[in-house]
Amino acid sequence: MNETHQHIFIEGTNKKNVLILLHGTGGNEHDLINLGKHIDPTASLLGVRGNVLEGDMPRYFRRLAEGIFDEKDLFYRAEELHTFLKEALSHYAPNTDLVTVIGYSNGANIAATLLMKYEKIVDRAILFHAMVPYRNNTVKEIQNAHIFIGAGTNDPIIPQKETQELIDVLRVQGAKVQEKWYNNGHQLTMKEIQDARDWYSLIR
Ligand code: MLT
């Protein structure tokens, strides 16, 4: 397989479930490992580092300013990540039948792009503090996908109406979206993680 992305794979005791873990700006492939273990202690975990650097901070795609994305780069990077994930899943976890992507912030935005642009690569998604990744391109149907969205009513980086618009787009395309709102700014809190875990264990 092509080693386009730095990554870590931890095999779980249940080889059927895989969690793909996508970090926020400045993070790396290790960042969400503990979170993944919390959501599903038995699943295999695939943490992937974004390929773009903003200063010394890894991201999954370039932005022109905070909240303003370089859409050309977004699509290029989404394609690259999509190819990597397909290869990594068949290499590390050929027998999986439940793939969940979990992303925080920039990682949630590239995960939303994968859902909106590509034929089904994941069955479930947990998007923490996500926004609308692009507006100037088509969004495919997202039938049979279950998505948990955790967001802040007072997130200074992701305005509430951005996440709301994303939820609307996903629902219009057929996704089943569970939304939860918190009052802790851009922070990912334990309460939000617990809610995601409860949702995950109910729909798996
Ligand atoms: C982004 O993708 O830029 C996020 O929405 C904000 C961040 O990750 O800093």
Side-chain angles (χ1 to χ4, degrees):
M1 91 188 222
N2 275 323
E3 298 280 332
T4 51
H5 289 71
Q6 289 198 54
H7 63 279
I8 173 173
F9 180 77
I10 301 173
E11 189 161 76
T13 51
N14 175 355
K15 295 180 185 34
K16 298 237 170 261
N17 292 1
V18 178
L19 306 182
I20 297 168
L21 305 166
L22 305 178
H23 60 81
T25 298
N28 63 44
E29 65 275 28
H30 301 280
D31 271 21
L32 301 190
I33 294 292
N34 282 340
L35 183 150
K37 286 185 182 160
H38 196 78
I39 302 270
D40 184 346
T42 65
S44 295
L45 306 172
L46 176 62
V48 184
R49 187 186 299 196
N51 265 352
V52 164
L53 280 179
E54 184 179 282
D56 57 0
M57 297 187 300
R59 288 176 51 86
Y60 293 95
F61 56 89
R62 289 201 183 90
R63 61 181 165 183
L64 306 172
E66 194 171 285
I68 303 174
F69 299 151
D70 177 339
E71 286 192 7
K72 194 163 166 255
D73 190 62
L74 169 67
F75 294 135
Y76 175 75
R77 300 291 170 185
E79 176 72 29
E80 189 183 52
L81 181 62
H82 179 254
T83 304
F84 170 77
L85 291 176
K86 270 200 342 210
E87 288 183 14
L89 287 172
S90 63
H91 176 75
Y92 290 118
N95 299 320
T96 181
D97 64 7
L98 183 64
V99 181
T100 304
V101 63
I102 303 180
Y104 169 61
S105 194
N106 185 241
N109 294 337
I110 193 92
T113 309
L114 294 178
L115 289 162
M116 288 160 65
K117 261 199 94 60
Y118 291 93
E119 284 315 312
K120 190 170 136 166
I121 178 170
V122 298
D123 310 286
R124 313 262 191 267
I126 296 176
L127 307 180
F128 295 119
H129 301 260
M131 51 197 284
V132 181
Y134 65 86
R135 292 188 172 83
N136 302 322
N137 213 301
T138 50
V139 182
K140 69 163 190 61
E141 284 191 11
I142 316 175
Q143 301 293 352
N144 302 321
H146 292 263
I147 302 172
F148 175 93
I149 302 247
T153 52
N154 60 347
D155 187 328
I157 296 173
I158 319 267
Q160 183 169 1
K161 66 171 183 23
E162 273 283 338
T163 310
Q164 195 57 60
E165 187 182 331
L166 174 65
I167 292 168
D168 294 344
V169 169
L170 297 172
R171 284 199 177 125
V172 165
Q173 298 308 117
K176 294 177 191 58
V177 182
Q178 159 91 66
E179 58 185 288
K180 289 269 186 183
W181 293 88
Y182 307 88
N183 204 23
N184 298 302
H186 195 55
Q187 252 186 50
L188 182 52
T189 63
M190 208 53 207
K191 169 81 178 107
E192 194 168 345
I193 296 168
Q194 304 281 21
D195 287 344
R197 185 176 67 172
D198 293 347
W199 169 86
Y200 179 91
S201 54
L202 278 179
I203 52 96
R204 63 202 282 222

